[in-house]
Amino acid sequence: MAKVFKIVPTTQKYDWGKIGKTSKVAQYAAAAKIPGFTLDENAPYAELWMGTHPSGPSRLSGSDTTLLEYLSSHQDLIGEKVAERFKEAGATKGNLPFLFKVLAIEKALSIQTHPDKKTAEKLHEAQPNVYKDANHKPEMALALTPFTAMCGFVPLPQIATYLKSTPELSALIPPTISKRFVSIVSSPEAPEAEAKQALKDVFSAVMSAEESLFKAQLERLVQRYEAGQEQEAEKGIKELVLRLNSQFPGDIGVFCAFLLNYVKMNPGEAIFLAAGEPHAYVSGDIMECMATSDNVIRAGLTPKLRDIPNLVSGLTYGAGDARRHMVAPAKFGLAAHTQLYDPPIPEFAVLQVQVPAGETEVHPPIDGPSIAIVTEGQGALEWDGEERLDVSEGDVVFVGAEAGLKIVAGSGGRLTVYRAYVEV
């Protein structure tokens, strides 16, 4: 087979997904005519998986062969450098070090974090039925449509302001913990370790509050907001609190609106979540890329297993403006129509390619493998001087290591492609 070929992704239906054709996942699956896919206008289409993960393996187009099976016997497509660098993660057996996804979010995902490698190994050994692999799972979200999320702890002075202005929140925290937190935040000489411990104590107290207590306080909070009695400091998160409570009534996770940054992103903006960073995607359609893993530690806004002790103990407790999580796009070599999103990890980077009608874009050879999805328009991919593959919206393509690529937009409009890759 050629160095570049189409693969068939896997669609996932979860209750938080967008319904029917409002979902980008459903739109792409329908446009690409994925075998066996029939659009159900009442079903929640949440994720489109592109990669070798066993929970949703991609297959070669027109075949029952999985991408994992094929790459395991065609190591040249992974590339010698990548195979050796990610040998422990199974690259020499065909496993890609990244998983590429489309997410379509109607209902907020859980308050969660992902463990670092060392913690993942311990969790997998202790609870293999819950934490099913020993890998870490740093991830990046790149907005396709207007997108909202909670990510990372807000600046500590902001939490102190909420403790003073929001009695329902302060009621969940023992006075000794609250006073110590405010005291440390007010002291410019307070050591960073003390500030992190104080934040950990506050977060732990909130997430561990007795159910009868936090349900009563959340009810009071919602009633106050619905009556238009929010304080000035609360206006920025009132909408979020009411939205989360409507989706997860009486859930402790709603109080995370006071502790985590609420970000509103435009298409083309991206955030990166390293290990130990609390987050929850709230709404919108995104491209998501992550290390190949299924490890999620949850603590709120979910009917799934909540593991508050491991979540509390595994966070970094860094705090600050959400901009510290943003990934600024950069130039990709000499390419005129490509933006590079390169988070500070080795497993993946993502390219956004937007080629105007009738024009071309050239990508130089990359040491490792990549997966690309067409999200808009039609055109062709060309490589090795003679090879050509026609593509259109929804098509997913595997590109082998060392394959230089020419992306050709059709005459009918712009061709947009997102390409995830690994390169050592």
Side-chain angles (χ1 to χ4, degrees):
M1 183 174 282
K3 294 179 182 177
V4 181
F5 50 88
K6 291 183 181 180
I7 59 175
V8 180
T10 302
T11 57
Q12 306 280 16
K13 297 178 182 177
Y14 305 133
D15 67 351
W16 50 262
K18 288 190 174 183
I19 306 299
K21 62 185 178 183
T22 65
S23 167
K24 289 290 187 185
V25 171
Q27 291 172 24
Y28 299 151
K33 298 181 174 59
I34 291 179
F37 178 82
T38 301
L39 180 62
D40 181 349
E41 286 290 3
N42 298 311
Y45 293 97
E47 298 187 351
L48 189 76
W49 288 30
M50 300 167 282
T52 56
H53 196 286
S55 295
S58 297
R59 299 181 180 277
L60 274 62
S61 181
S63 170
D64 288 332
T65 303
T66 67
L67 181 60
L68 176 66
E69 293 168 339
Y70 190 76
L71 295 180
S72 67
S73 58
H74 295 79
Q75 282 289 300
D76 58 308
L77 295 175
I78 289 181
E80 184 177 342
K81 292 181 180 178
V82 170
E84 182 60 30
R85 170 65 176 79
F86 295 99
K87 183 176 181 179
E88 184 182 349
T92 54
K93 298 179 181 178
N95 194 43
L96 296 176
F98 66 85
L99 176 61
F100 204 24
K101 294 182 180 181
V102 179
L103 267 64
I105 305 154
E106 180 65 32
K107 184 179 180 181
L109 277 68
S110 57
I111 302 295
Q112 61 185 259
T113 188
H114 306 299
D116 59 23
K117 190 71 167 63
K118 185 176 180 180
T119 304
E121 291 171 351
K122 291 181 179 179
L123 291 174
H124 177 60
E125 183 177 1
Q127 303 178 69
N129 59 321
V130 177
Y131 302 104
K132 298 183 179 180
D133 60 72
N135 200 17
H136 66 164
K137 190 186 176 186
E139 64 187 34
M140 180 171 67
L142 173 53
L144 290 170
T145 64
F147 169 63
T148 60
M150 293 187 285
C151 66
F153 288 106
V154 301
L156 300 187
Q158 190 172 335
I159 296 178
T161 298
Y162 286 141
L163 290 177
K164 296 173 184 177
S165 64
T166 310
E168 298 87 355
L169 173 66
S170 60
L172 306 183
I173 305 168
T176 53
I177 292 177
S178 182
K179 289 179 181 178
R180 182 170 180 272
F181 177 84
V182 172
S183 174
I184 288 175
V185 171
S186 302
S187 172
E189 288 88 25
E192 182 181 1
E194 284 191 19
K196 288 190 173 187
Q197 184 60 52
L199 175 57
K200 181 177 181 179
D201 291 343
V202 166
F203 182 71
S204 178
V206 171
M207 300 308 293
S208 304
E210 290 290 336
E211 184 174 359
S212 59
L213 173 61
F214 74 70
K215 281 185 177 293
Q217 293 301 328
L218 182 54
E219 185 177 354
R220 292 190 183 98
L221 178 67
V222 170
Q223 288 176 351
R224 182 162 65 83
Y225 281 5
E226 289 178 338
Q229 297 173 355
E230 69 274 10
Q231 299 294 317
E232 185 66 28
E234 301 170 311
K235 288 184 177 180
I237 60 168
K238 172 184 174 179
E239 165 206 348
L240 177 61
V241 167
L242 294 178
R243 177 187 177 93
L244 296 178
N245 188 68
S246 71
Q247 296 174 350
F248 299 91
D251 193 295
I252 185 60
V254 177
F255 280 102
C256 286
F258 296 97
L259 304 175
L260 306 184
N261 289 293
Y262 182 37
V263 295
K264 299 180 180 180
M265 294 163 52
N266 295 315
E269 294 184 315
I271 53 173
F272 173 68
L273 287 314
E277 293 288 355
H279 61 279
Y281 299 156
V282 177
S283 67
D285 301 90
I286 61 172
M287 298 302 310
E288 184 184 49
C289 201
M290 63 192 67
T292 301
S293 173
D294 235 359
N295 283 324
V296 181
I297 307 174
R298 300 178 178 87
L301 306 181
T302 179
K304 296 182 179 180
L305 175 69
R306 302 178 186 220
D307 191 349
I308 292 174
N310 275 317
L311 184 133
V312 168
S313 66
L315 299 180
T316 64
Y317 294 99
D321 191 281
R323 284 174 294 185
R324 68 194 181 95
H325 297 286
M326 303 296 287
V327 180
K331 295 284 290 182
F332 181 62
L334 299 177
H337 308 298
T338 301
Q339 298 267 44
L340 167 64
Y341 297 82
D342 191 8
I345 52 164
E347 281 87 354
F348 63 83
V350 174
L351 301 173
Q352 179 200 60
V353 191
Q354 296 181 310
V355 187
E359 297 190 24
T360 64
E361 181 80 312
V362 176
H363 286 180
I366 293 174
D367 287 343
S370 59
I371 289 178
I373 179 171
V374 179
T375 61
E376 176 187 28
Q378 60 182 10
L381 304 180
E382 298 178 356
W383 68 100
D384 286 352
E386 300 177 351
E387 301 289 337
R388 177 184 173 96
L389 181 66
D390 292 331
V391 294
S392 59
E393 181 181 332
D395 282 338
V396 180
V397 177
F398 178 87
V399 182
E402 302 295 345
L405 204 62
K406 180 185 287 187
I407 302 166
V408 183
S411 59
R414 184 174 68 180
L415 176 65
T416 300
V417 177
Y418 288 87
R419 181 183 181 187
Y421 71 95
V422 56
E423 184 175 41
V424 177

